[in-house]
């Protein structure tokens, strides 16, 4: 798939899909009243997808997670 086609699919399919899912998620979250507290966190998983750039970019994230959850490191 060429880059221009990927851009068009992302623009004309991806954006409306994201908007529609966000519009659905907000009222659904109010109805279900999910608790997103991080008090009972036991495991944090970080997935390396590809290349070295993802490791370099996630280094600040990993540092912040270690600082925020010292008992898990």
């Amino acid at each position: 798939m060429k880059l221009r086609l990927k851009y068009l699919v992302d623009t004309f399919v991806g954006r409306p899909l994201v908007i529609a899912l966000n519009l659905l998620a907000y009222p659904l979250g109010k109805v279900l009243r999910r608790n997103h507290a991080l008090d009972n966190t036991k495991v944090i998983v970080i997935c390396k997808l590809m290349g070295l750039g993802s490791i370099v970019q996630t280094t600040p994230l990993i540092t912040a997670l270690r600082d925020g959850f010292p008992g898990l490191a």
Side-chain angles (χ1 to χ4, degrees):
M1 189 182 281
K2 294 188 178 186
L3 184 60
R4 179 75 179 152
L5 181 58
K6 288 181 182 181
Y7 177 76
L8 290 173
V9 168
D10 186 44
T11 300
F12 294 110
V13 176
R15 286 183 185 173
L17 186 61
V18 167
I19 291 169
L21 290 174
N22 277 329
L23 290 174
L24 178 66
Y26 184 76
L28 193 59
K30 293 291 184 185
V31 170
L32 294 177
R33 296 182 184 196
R34 298 288 309 249
N35 181 10
H36 295 285
L38 299 173
D39 300 335
N40 297 326
T41 302
K42 294 182 175 91
V43 176
I44 297 175
V45 177
I46 300 172
C47 178
K48 181 194 174 306
L49 297 176
M50 59 189 259
L52 185 61
S54 59
I55 292 174
V56 172
Q57 289 178 337
T58 58
T59 301
L61 169 70
I62 295 169
T63 304
L65 286 172
R66 283 186 183 154
D67 294 343
F69 298 93
L72 297 179

